[in-house]
Short mmCIF file of all heavy atoms in Angstrom, two decimals:
data_model
loop_
_atom_site.label_atom_id
_atom_site.label_comp_id
_atom_site.label_asym_id
_atom_site.label_seq_id
_atom_site.Cartn_x
_atom_site.Cartn_y
_atom_site.Cartn_z
N ARG B 374 6.21 8.42 -16.90
CA ARG B 374 5.84 7.15 -16.29
C ARG B 374 4.91 6.36 -17.19
O ARG B 374 4.23 6.90 -18.05
CB ARG B 374 5.09 7.41 -14.97
CG ARG B 374 5.78 8.32 -14.02
CD ARG B 374 6.93 7.66 -13.35
NE ARG B 374 6.53 6.45 -12.66
CZ ARG B 374 6.12 6.41 -11.41
NH1 ARG B 374 6.10 7.52 -10.69
NH2 ARG B 374 5.77 5.28 -10.86
N PHE B 375 4.88 5.07 -16.93
CA PHE B 375 3.90 4.21 -17.58
C PHE B 375 2.66 4.29 -16.70
O PHE B 375 2.63 3.70 -15.62
CB PHE B 375 4.46 2.79 -17.64
CG PHE B 375 3.47 1.76 -18.09
CD1 PHE B 375 3.05 1.71 -19.41
CD2 PHE B 375 2.96 0.83 -17.19
CE1 PHE B 375 2.13 0.75 -19.82
CE2 PHE B 375 2.05 -0.13 -17.61
CZ PHE B 375 1.63 -0.17 -18.92
N ASP B 376 1.67 5.06 -17.13
CA ASP B 376 0.56 5.34 -16.23
C ASP B 376 -0.58 4.36 -16.39
O ASP B 376 -1.71 4.72 -16.67
CB ASP B 376 0.07 6.77 -16.45
CG ASP B 376 -0.75 7.25 -15.28
OD1 ASP B 376 -0.81 6.57 -14.26
OD2 ASP B 376 -1.34 8.33 -15.41
N GLY B 377 -0.31 3.11 -16.25
CA GLY B 377 -1.37 2.11 -16.32
C GLY B 377 -0.94 1.00 -15.40
O GLY B 377 0.09 1.06 -14.78
N SER B 378 -1.74 -0.04 -15.29
CA SER B 378 -1.27 -1.18 -14.52
C SER B 378 -1.26 -2.37 -15.44
O SER B 378 -2.26 -2.68 -16.08
CB SER B 378 -2.18 -1.48 -13.34
OG SER B 378 -3.02 -0.41 -13.10
N ALA B 379 -0.14 -3.06 -15.48
CA ALA B 379 -0.01 -4.20 -16.38
C ALA B 379 -1.11 -5.22 -16.14
O ALA B 379 -1.68 -5.77 -17.07
CB ALA B 379 1.37 -4.84 -16.22
N HIS B 380 -1.46 -5.44 -14.90
CA HIS B 380 -2.43 -6.50 -14.63
C HIS B 380 -3.80 -6.14 -15.18
O HIS B 380 -4.54 -6.99 -15.64
CB HIS B 380 -2.53 -6.78 -13.12
CG HIS B 380 -3.13 -5.66 -12.34
ND1 HIS B 380 -2.38 -4.65 -11.81
CD2 HIS B 380 -4.41 -5.36 -12.02
CE1 HIS B 380 -3.16 -3.80 -11.19
NE2 HIS B 380 -4.40 -4.21 -11.30
N ASP B 381 -4.12 -4.86 -15.18
CA ASP B 381 -5.42 -4.44 -15.66
C ASP B 381 -5.49 -4.53 -17.18
O ASP B 381 -6.51 -4.87 -17.76
CB ASP B 381 -5.64 -3.00 -15.20
CG ASP B 381 -7.03 -2.53 -15.45
OD1 ASP B 381 -7.96 -3.35 -15.30
OD2 ASP B 381 -7.19 -1.36 -15.83
N ILE B 382 -4.38 -4.23 -17.84
CA ILE B 382 -4.36 -4.24 -19.29
C ILE B 382 -4.29 -5.65 -19.84
O ILE B 382 -4.99 -6.00 -20.78
CB ILE B 382 -3.17 -3.40 -19.79
CG1 ILE B 382 -3.41 -1.94 -19.42
CG2 ILE B 382 -2.96 -3.59 -21.27
CD1 ILE B 382 -2.24 -1.07 -19.66
N LEU B 383 -3.49 -6.49 -19.23
CA LEU B 383 -3.30 -7.81 -19.80
C LEU B 383 -4.49 -8.73 -19.62
O LEU B 383 -4.58 -9.76 -20.25
CB LEU B 383 -2.05 -8.46 -19.21
CG LEU B 383 -0.77 -7.72 -19.57
CD1 LEU B 383 0.41 -8.41 -18.93
CD2 LEU B 383 -0.58 -7.64 -21.06
N ARG B 384 -5.41 -8.37 -18.74
CA ARG B 384 -6.57 -9.23 -18.61
C ARG B 384 -7.60 -8.94 -19.69
O ARG B 384 -8.58 -9.65 -19.81
CB ARG B 384 -7.21 -9.09 -17.25
CG ARG B 384 -7.86 -7.76 -17.03
CD ARG B 384 -8.64 -7.83 -15.76
NE ARG B 384 -9.00 -6.52 -15.28
CZ ARG B 384 -10.03 -6.29 -14.50
NH1 ARG B 384 -10.78 -7.28 -14.12
NH2 ARG B 384 -10.29 -5.08 -14.09
N GLN B 385 -7.38 -7.90 -20.44
CA GLN B 385 -8.28 -7.61 -21.54
C GLN B 385 -8.11 -8.67 -22.61
O GLN B 385 -7.08 -9.31 -22.72
CB GLN B 385 -7.95 -6.23 -22.11
CG GLN B 385 -8.16 -5.11 -21.11
CD GLN B 385 -9.58 -4.64 -21.07
OE1 GLN B 385 -10.36 -4.98 -21.94
NE2 GLN B 385 -9.92 -3.85 -20.08
N THR B 386 -9.09 -8.80 -23.40
CA THR B 386 -9.19 -9.96 -24.25
C THR B 386 -8.40 -9.85 -25.56
O THR B 386 -8.16 -8.75 -26.06
CB THR B 386 -10.67 -10.25 -24.48
OG1 THR B 386 -10.79 -11.42 -25.21
CG2 THR B 386 -11.30 -9.09 -25.17
N VAL B 387 -8.02 -11.00 -26.12
CA VAL B 387 -7.12 -10.99 -27.27
C VAL B 387 -7.82 -10.68 -28.58
O VAL B 387 -7.15 -10.40 -29.57
CB VAL B 387 -6.38 -12.34 -27.42
CG1 VAL B 387 -5.56 -12.63 -26.20
CG2 VAL B 387 -7.35 -13.48 -27.70
N TRP B 388 -9.15 -10.72 -28.60
CA TRP B 388 -9.80 -10.46 -29.88
C TRP B 388 -10.08 -8.98 -30.08
O TRP B 388 -10.61 -8.57 -31.11
CB TRP B 388 -11.10 -11.26 -30.00
CG TRP B 388 -12.06 -11.08 -28.86
CD1 TRP B 388 -12.25 -11.92 -27.82
CD2 TRP B 388 -12.94 -9.98 -28.65
NE1 TRP B 388 -13.20 -11.44 -26.98
CE2 TRP B 388 -13.66 -10.23 -27.45
CE3 TRP B 388 -13.23 -8.80 -29.34
CZ2 TRP B 388 -14.61 -9.37 -26.94
CZ3 TRP B 388 -14.18 -7.94 -28.83
CH2 TRP B 388 -14.85 -8.22 -27.64
N LEU B 389 -9.76 -8.14 -29.10
CA LEU B 389 -10.06 -6.72 -29.20
C LEU B 389 -8.95 -6.01 -29.97
O LEU B 389 -7.80 -6.04 -29.56
CB LEU B 389 -10.18 -6.13 -27.80
CG LEU B 389 -10.56 -4.64 -27.72
CD1 LEU B 389 -12.00 -4.46 -28.17
CD2 LEU B 389 -10.39 -4.13 -26.30
N PRO B 390 -9.30 -5.34 -31.06
CA PRO B 390 -8.26 -4.59 -31.77
C PRO B 390 -7.83 -3.37 -30.96
O PRO B 390 -8.51 -2.97 -30.03
CB PRO B 390 -8.94 -4.14 -33.06
CG PRO B 390 -10.34 -4.62 -33.01
CD PRO B 390 -10.60 -5.29 -31.71
N LEU B 391 -6.73 -2.78 -31.33
CA LEU B 391 -6.30 -1.55 -30.67
C LEU B 391 -7.06 -0.36 -31.28
O LEU B 391 -7.76 0.37 -30.60
CB LEU B 391 -4.79 -1.39 -30.82
CG LEU B 391 -4.14 -0.09 -30.34
CD1 LEU B 391 -4.57 0.24 -28.92
CD2 LEU B 391 -2.63 -0.20 -30.39
N TYR B 392 -6.94 -0.24 -32.58
CA TYR B 392 -7.71 0.79 -33.28
C TYR B 392 -8.65 0.09 -34.25
O TYR B 392 -8.33 -0.97 -34.77
CB TYR B 392 -6.80 1.70 -34.09
CG TYR B 392 -5.80 2.46 -33.24
CD1 TYR B 392 -4.44 2.17 -33.30
CD2 TYR B 392 -6.20 3.47 -32.37
CE1 TYR B 392 -3.52 2.84 -32.54
CE2 TYR B 392 -5.28 4.16 -31.60
CZ TYR B 392 -3.95 3.84 -31.68
OH TYR B 392 -3.04 4.50 -30.93
N LEU B 393 -9.78 0.72 -34.55
CA LEU B 393 -10.69 0.13 -35.52
C LEU B 393 -10.07 0.24 -36.90
O LEU B 393 -9.55 1.29 -37.28
CB LEU B 393 -12.03 0.88 -35.50
CG LEU B 393 -12.84 0.71 -34.22
CD1 LEU B 393 -14.06 1.61 -34.24
CD2 LEU B 393 -13.27 -0.73 -34.04
N ASP B 394 -10.14 -0.85 -37.66
CA ASP B 394 -9.61 -0.80 -39.02
C ASP B 394 -10.71 -1.25 -39.99
O ASP B 394 -11.86 -1.43 -39.60
CB ASP B 394 -8.36 -1.69 -39.15
CG ASP B 394 -8.66 -3.15 -38.84
OD1 ASP B 394 -9.85 -3.51 -38.67
OD2 ASP B 394 -7.71 -3.94 -38.76
N ASP B 395 -10.34 -1.40 -41.27
CA ASP B 395 -11.32 -1.72 -42.31
C ASP B 395 -12.18 -2.92 -41.96
O ASP B 395 -13.38 -2.93 -42.22
CB ASP B 395 -10.61 -2.07 -43.63
CG ASP B 395 -9.91 -0.85 -44.19
OD1 ASP B 395 -10.35 0.27 -43.88
OD2 ASP B 395 -8.92 -1.03 -44.92
N ASN B 396 -11.56 -3.94 -41.40
CA ASN B 396 -12.31 -5.16 -41.13
C ASN B 396 -13.14 -5.02 -39.86
O ASN B 396 -14.33 -5.30 -39.85
CB ASN B 396 -11.35 -6.33 -41.00
CG ASN B 396 -12.10 -7.63 -40.74
OD1 ASN B 396 -13.12 -7.90 -41.38
ND2 ASN B 396 -11.64 -8.41 -39.78
N SER B 397 -12.53 -4.55 -38.80
CA SER B 397 -13.26 -4.54 -37.52
C SER B 397 -14.36 -3.49 -37.50
O SER B 397 -15.34 -3.64 -36.79
CB SER B 397 -12.29 -4.35 -36.36
OG SER B 397 -11.35 -3.35 -36.65
N ILE B 398 -14.24 -2.43 -38.29
CA ILE B 398 -15.28 -1.39 -38.28
C ILE B 398 -16.61 -1.99 -38.72
O ILE B 398 -17.68 -1.54 -38.29
CB ILE B 398 -14.88 -0.20 -39.18
CG1 ILE B 398 -15.82 0.99 -38.92
CG2 ILE B 398 -14.91 -0.54 -40.65
CD1 ILE B 398 -15.31 1.94 -37.90
N GLN B 399 -16.59 -3.03 -39.55
CA GLN B 399 -17.85 -3.62 -40.01
C GLN B 399 -18.56 -4.34 -38.88
O GLN B 399 -19.74 -4.62 -38.98
CB GLN B 399 -17.56 -4.63 -41.13
CG GLN B 399 -16.97 -3.98 -42.36
CD GLN B 399 -16.42 -5.04 -43.29
OE1 GLN B 399 -17.03 -6.10 -43.44
NE2 GLN B 399 -15.28 -4.78 -43.88
N HIS B 400 -17.86 -4.67 -37.84
CA HIS B 400 -18.48 -5.42 -36.74
C HIS B 400 -18.94 -4.53 -35.61
O HIS B 400 -19.45 -5.02 -34.60
CB HIS B 400 -17.49 -6.46 -36.22
CG HIS B 400 -17.20 -7.54 -37.21
ND1 HIS B 400 -18.01 -8.63 -37.36
CD2 HIS B 400 -16.20 -7.66 -38.12
CE1 HIS B 400 -17.51 -9.40 -38.32
NE2 HIS B 400 -16.42 -8.83 -38.80
N VAL B 401 -18.78 -3.20 -35.75
CA VAL B 401 -19.20 -2.30 -34.68
C VAL B 401 -20.72 -2.18 -34.70
O VAL B 401 -21.32 -2.00 -35.75
CB VAL B 401 -18.54 -0.92 -34.86
CG1 VAL B 401 -19.13 0.08 -33.88
CG2 VAL B 401 -17.05 -1.03 -34.68
N ASN B 402 -21.31 -2.26 -33.53
CA ASN B 402 -22.77 -2.18 -33.41
C ASN B 402 -23.18 -0.72 -33.18
O ASN B 402 -22.98 -0.18 -32.11
CB ASN B 402 -23.21 -3.06 -32.23
CG ASN B 402 -24.70 -3.15 -32.12
OD1 ASN B 402 -25.43 -2.22 -32.48
ND2 ASN B 402 -25.18 -4.27 -31.60
N ARG B 403 -23.74 -0.11 -34.21
CA ARG B 403 -24.05 1.31 -34.10
C ARG B 403 -25.42 1.59 -33.51
O ARG B 403 -25.78 2.74 -33.32
CB ARG B 403 -23.97 1.96 -35.49
CG ARG B 403 -22.56 1.94 -36.05
CD ARG B 403 -22.51 2.51 -37.48
NE ARG B 403 -21.19 2.28 -38.06
CZ ARG B 403 -20.13 3.04 -37.82
NH1 ARG B 403 -20.22 4.07 -37.00
NH2 ARG B 403 -18.96 2.76 -38.37
N VAL B 404 -26.21 0.52 -33.23
CA VAL B 404 -27.56 0.79 -32.73
C VAL B 404 -27.74 0.51 -31.25
O VAL B 404 -28.67 0.98 -30.63
CB VAL B 404 -28.63 -0.01 -33.52
CG1 VAL B 404 -28.58 0.38 -34.99
CG2 VAL B 404 -28.41 -1.50 -33.37
N ARG B 405 -26.82 -0.21 -30.66
CA ARG B 405 -27.05 -0.59 -29.26
C ARG B 405 -26.80 0.57 -28.31
O ARG B 405 -26.16 1.56 -28.66
CB ARG B 405 -26.16 -1.78 -28.90
CG ARG B 405 -24.69 -1.47 -28.82
CD ARG B 405 -23.91 -2.69 -28.32
NE ARG B 405 -24.31 -3.11 -27.00
CZ ARG B 405 -23.88 -2.57 -25.88
NH1 ARG B 405 -23.01 -1.59 -25.90
NH2 ARG B 405 -24.31 -3.02 -24.72
N ASP B 406 -27.30 0.43 -27.11
CA ASP B 406 -27.08 1.41 -26.04
C ASP B 406 -27.45 2.82 -26.48
O ASP B 406 -26.67 3.76 -26.30
CB ASP B 406 -25.62 1.36 -25.57
CG ASP B 406 -25.47 1.98 -24.18
OD1 ASP B 406 -26.48 2.50 -23.65
OD2 ASP B 406 -24.36 1.93 -23.64
N GLY B 407 -28.60 2.96 -27.08
CA GLY B 407 -29.06 4.28 -27.50
C GLY B 407 -28.15 4.89 -28.56
O GLY B 407 -28.03 6.10 -28.64
N GLY B 408 -27.50 4.05 -29.38
CA GLY B 408 -26.67 4.59 -30.45
C GLY B 408 -25.36 5.17 -29.94
O GLY B 408 -24.79 6.08 -30.55
N LYS B 409 -24.86 4.63 -28.86
CA LYS B 409 -23.64 5.18 -28.26
C LYS B 409 -22.46 5.18 -29.22
O LYS B 409 -21.63 6.07 -29.21
CB LYS B 409 -23.30 4.36 -27.02
CG LYS B 409 -22.27 4.98 -26.14
CD LYS B 409 -22.26 4.27 -24.77
CE LYS B 409 -21.15 4.85 -23.91
NZ LYS B 409 -21.02 4.16 -22.64
N TYR B 410 -22.35 4.13 -30.06
CA TYR B 410 -21.21 4.02 -30.96
C TYR B 410 -21.57 4.32 -32.39
O TYR B 410 -20.92 3.85 -33.32
CB TYR B 410 -20.58 2.63 -30.82
CG TYR B 410 -20.24 2.30 -29.38
CD1 TYR B 410 -20.95 1.32 -28.69
CD2 TYR B 410 -19.23 2.99 -28.72
CE1 TYR B 410 -20.65 1.04 -27.36
CE2 TYR B 410 -18.93 2.71 -27.39
CZ TYR B 410 -19.66 1.74 -26.73
OH TYR B 410 -19.37 1.47 -25.41
N ALA B 411 -22.61 5.11 -32.60
CA ALA B 411 -23.07 5.39 -33.96
C ALA B 411 -22.00 6.08 -34.79
O ALA B 411 -21.93 5.93 -36.00
CB ALA B 411 -24.33 6.24 -33.90
N ASN B 412 -21.15 6.86 -34.15
CA ASN B 412 -20.16 7.65 -34.91
C ASN B 412 -18.77 7.04 -34.92
O ASN B 412 -17.80 7.73 -35.19
CB ASN B 412 -20.07 9.06 -34.32
CG ASN B 412 -21.38 9.78 -34.45
OD1 ASN B 412 -22.10 9.60 -35.42
ND2 ASN B 412 -21.71 10.57 -33.44
N ALA B 413 -18.66 5.74 -34.66
CA ALA B 413 -17.33 5.12 -34.62
C ALA B 413 -16.69 5.18 -36.00
O ALA B 413 -17.34 4.95 -37.02
CB ALA B 413 -17.46 3.67 -34.17
N GLN B 414 -15.40 5.50 -36.03
CA GLN B 414 -14.69 5.60 -37.31
C GLN B 414 -13.41 4.79 -37.26
O GLN B 414 -12.92 4.45 -36.20
CB GLN B 414 -14.28 7.05 -37.55
CG GLN B 414 -15.45 7.97 -37.80
CD GLN B 414 -14.97 9.40 -37.80
OE1 GLN B 414 -13.78 9.67 -37.78
NE2 GLN B 414 -15.91 10.31 -37.83
N ILE B 415 -12.85 4.57 -38.43
CA ILE B 415 -11.57 3.86 -38.50
C ILE B 415 -10.53 4.72 -37.79
O ILE B 415 -10.44 5.92 -38.01
CB ILE B 415 -11.17 3.63 -39.98
CG1 ILE B 415 -12.16 2.64 -40.58
CG2 ILE B 415 -9.73 3.12 -40.08
CD1 ILE B 415 -11.88 2.34 -42.04
N GLY B 416 -9.76 4.12 -36.94
CA GLY B 416 -8.74 4.85 -36.20
C GLY B 416 -9.14 5.15 -34.77
O GLY B 416 -8.30 5.51 -33.96
N ASP B 417 -10.40 4.97 -34.44
CA ASP B 417 -10.84 5.16 -33.05
C ASP B 417 -10.35 3.98 -32.22
O ASP B 417 -10.12 2.90 -32.73
CB ASP B 417 -12.37 5.18 -32.97
CG ASP B 417 -12.97 6.49 -33.44
OD1 ASP B 417 -12.20 7.44 -33.68
OD2 ASP B 417 -14.20 6.55 -33.56
#
Side-chain angles (χ1 to χ4, degrees):
Chain B
R374 308 286 303 270
F375 171 72
D376 198 9
S378 345
H380 68 270
D381 189 37
I382 293 171
L383 296 179
R384 69 171 164 155
Q385 297 275 347
T386 185
V387 300
W388 53 259
L389 183 70
L391 174 50
Y392 298 111
L393 293 173
D394 60 8
D395 293 335
N396 182 44
S397 44
I398 192 93
Q399 296 167 39
H400 293 276
V401 171
N402 186 330
R403 294 176 189 279
V404 300
R405 70 175 299 277
D406 200 356
K409 193 166 177 184
Y410 306 110
N412 297 325
Q414 292 171 9
I415 292 179
D417 284 352

